[in-house]
Amino acid sequence: MAACTSFAKLNAASSTWIGQQSFNPSPRSSSSARRVSFPVRASAYKDELVKTAKTIASPGRGILAIDESNATCGKRLASIGLENNEVNRQAYRQLLLTTPGLGEYISGSILFEETLYQSTTDGKKFVDCLNDQNIVPGIKVDKGLVPLPGSNNESWCQGLDGLASRSAEYYKQGARFAKWRTVVSIPCGPSALAVKEAAWGLARYAAISQDNGLVPIVEPEILLDGDHGIDRTLEVAEKVWAEVFFYLAQNNVMFEGILLKPSMVTPGAEHKEKASAETIAKYTLTMLKRRVPPAVPGIMFLSGGQSEVEATLNLNAMNQSPNPWHVSFSYARALQNTVLKTWQGRPENVEAAKMSLLVRAKANSLAQLGKYSAEGENEEAKKGMFVKGYTY
């Protein structure tokens, strides 16, 4: 647990918010020779990690996230009357991953472990389907959220045990980046313990991923739950990202070989006033410029329950002027919602569903370039998808 005293911070200034005491090593005599160690960063994979990150963070492209657990995928299938079994999960993911032309707008796809090892009904590996379109295969590596003892009814993310060996196997199977999602809840405080645990877990995961050739996506999601205003979200987001980057540095993570997956800075879902896309862009970019080094190649936003159109409009607003990083998307529901409803599990609807995916992918591609317009969007794409306490 990150609460362990062995994880004490080495910089008092960075510890002010959580009330930690700085750690001062015992003084040495002036005659003692000082040894300076230079940590090896990202081992033998350094160049490959940088190349992978830059490929994913390429102009006009973003990430298709289809890494829902089998249980969550089952909920999606149930919404269109399908049974949750491997055949149906395979059929749906095959629809997504075999869409012609997808690589024009999508640079990476996050897969669930089951999907990473699956093939199409014709026997072609899903990993090869992606590589053929210059889409980098990725893998969800965390083991989900569990209650955090000693906190204010908050969660922590498990999955560090055995992560190195699993990551090595995922690399052999063709994965080249990884995703680890943890969450921070504003209505729950958030407590200093929960923020520190989230930051430490992300940093350890990131270091392990890089050591095994996988570009880590760093994702501390600030949940939309709550009735707080946008200023409160900004305050919490800045504190969370300060902690995250402190621990990334402590763990010798190479910033040029990571990607971030932040939530946008918005008011709570139950706040009485909605914010415009321009306001959300202003607050979100303010937070990023204060906290994220320009060495980071890409900021791949999650949609967090926004409607398909909202997520695209907000991304578009953030790309109206140049940014220090590639500002793009890593959407799940905001790319899949219309696709599912178009498909309905019927073979005769597969081609129409693929076209729906291309429409949404192209819209977000244009938003990454700052050229999107919501003109002509249908009403279905404007429906919000917020779920209180959402889990994968």
Side-chain angles (χ1 to χ4, degrees):
M1 291 287 291
C4 179
T5 55
S6 64
F7 302 154
K9 293 183 173 182
L10 306 184
N11 185 315
S14 71
S15 307
T16 302
W17 179 59
I18 64 169
Q20 285 286 116
Q21 295 296 316
S22 63
F23 172 77
N24 295 309
S26 56
R28 300 180 181 181
S29 65
S30 57
S31 60
S32 298
R34 176 171 292 183
R35 294 182 180 180
V36 180
S37 62
F38 296 92
V40 177
R41 295 172 183 261
S43 65
Y45 293 101
K46 177 181 177 181
D47 292 341
E48 183 181 355
L49 291 167
V50 172
K51 182 180 178 181
T52 298
K54 287 182 176 179
T55 298
I56 296 172
S58 53
R61 300 206 297 166
I63 294 174
L64 169 64
I66 56 170
D67 58 321
E68 300 89 351
S69 66
N70 287 348
T72 301
C73 189
K75 293 177 183 177
R76 305 275 169 84
L77 295 174
S79 72
I80 57 172
L82 288 185
E83 183 183 346
N84 183 17
N85 56 45
E86 185 176 355
V87 172
N88 287 335
R89 293 193 298 270
Q90 177 195 30
Y92 177 54
R93 285 158 173 166
Q94 178 171 320
L95 182 163
L96 298 170
L97 298 178
T98 59
T99 298
L102 189 62
E104 184 176 350
Y105 314 118
I106 299 297
S107 55
S109 184
I110 312 171
L111 310 178
F112 190 60
E113 186 175 64
E114 176 183 78
T115 316
L116 180 68
Y117 290 92
Q118 281 179 328
S119 301
T120 67
T121 50
D122 293 332
K124 185 174 183 176
K125 293 179 180 178
F126 282 150
V127 167
D128 292 335
C129 293
L130 291 171
N131 286 327
D132 285 350
Q133 293 213 55
N134 193 30
I135 299 173
V136 182
I139 178 69
K140 167 186 162 72
V141 298
D142 69 79
K143 293 295 185 179
L145 301 170
V146 292
L148 176 62
S151 70
N152 186 26
N153 195 30
E154 295 163 287
S155 300
W156 69 286
C157 189
Q158 56 187 348
L160 289 177
D161 288 350
L163 179 58
S165 59
R166 286 192 289 121
S167 297
E169 289 301 316
Y170 297 149
Y171 184 91
K172 288 180 183 178
Q173 184 62 17
R176 290 297 179 268
F177 73 101
K179 175 255 180 94
W180 174 289
R181 173 191 182 250
T182 194
V183 301
V184 173
S185 170
I186 292 179
C188 290
S191 71
L193 173 64
V195 173
K196 186 176 181 181
E197 175 61 44
W200 176 259
L202 284 165
R204 291 304 306 138
Y205 137 78
I208 293 168
S209 294
Q210 288 190 339
D211 199 47
N212 288 280
L214 303 179
V215 169
I217 288 183
V218 178
E219 181 184 358
E221 179 177 355
I222 313 295
L223 295 173
L224 278 177
D225 305 60
D227 60 1
H228 52 276
I230 194 169
D231 288 291
R232 175 61 176 154
T233 307
L234 176 64
E235 178 188 17
V236 171
E238 287 186 356
K239 289 175 178 176
V240 170
W241 280 105
E243 291 285 291
V244 168
F245 272 98
F246 175 82
Y247 283 121
L248 287 172
Q250 288 291 295
N251 281 273
N252 299 314
V253 172
M254 181 178 67
F255 291 171
E256 293 88 349
I258 66 174
L259 296 167
L260 305 188
K261 186 168 178 175
S263 41
M264 298 176 192
V265 178
T266 69
E270 298 161 39
H271 189 63
K272 57 188 176 183
E273 295 179 14
K274 296 200 71 171
S276 67
E278 291 71 25
T279 298
I280 290 170
K282 177 183 176 182
Y283 273 77
T284 304
L285 291 174
T286 294
M287 183 274 290
L288 293 174
K289 288 173 181 176
R290 289 173 176 173
R291 292 294 181 263
V292 180
V296 174
I299 314 289
M300 321 299 286
F301 281 100
L302 58 90
S303 56
Q306 301 174 77
S307 74
E308 291 176 327
V309 171
E310 277 179 327
T312 310
L313 280 171
N314 292 339
L315 178 62
N316 186 69
M318 281 185 269
N319 282 296
Q320 293 308 298
S321 57
N323 292 301
W325 340 263
H326 175 80
V327 174
S328 192
F329 60 93
S330 177
Y331 293 164
R333 286 174 287 172
L335 283 170
Q336 297 182 48
N337 190 50
T338 301
V339 178
L340 259 177
K341 292 183 177 179
T342 302
W343 178 45
Q344 293 293 319
R346 299 172 184 170
E348 64 269 25
N349 292 342
V350 167
E351 294 308 313
K354 289 183 176 184
M355 287 303 301
S356 294
L357 176 59
L358 284 179
V359 167
R360 291 263 47 92
K362 182 178 181 180
N364 287 293
S365 170
L366 289 170
Q368 197 288 310
L369 299 170
K371 299 177 180 179
Y372 168 74
S373 169
E375 184 177 350
E377 290 278 20
N378 62 45
E379 291 304 312
E380 186 63 43
K382 297 177 182 178
K383 292 181 180 178
M385 292 177 280
F386 169 71
V387 177
K388 191 171 185 177
Y390 182 74
T391 60
Y392 282 84

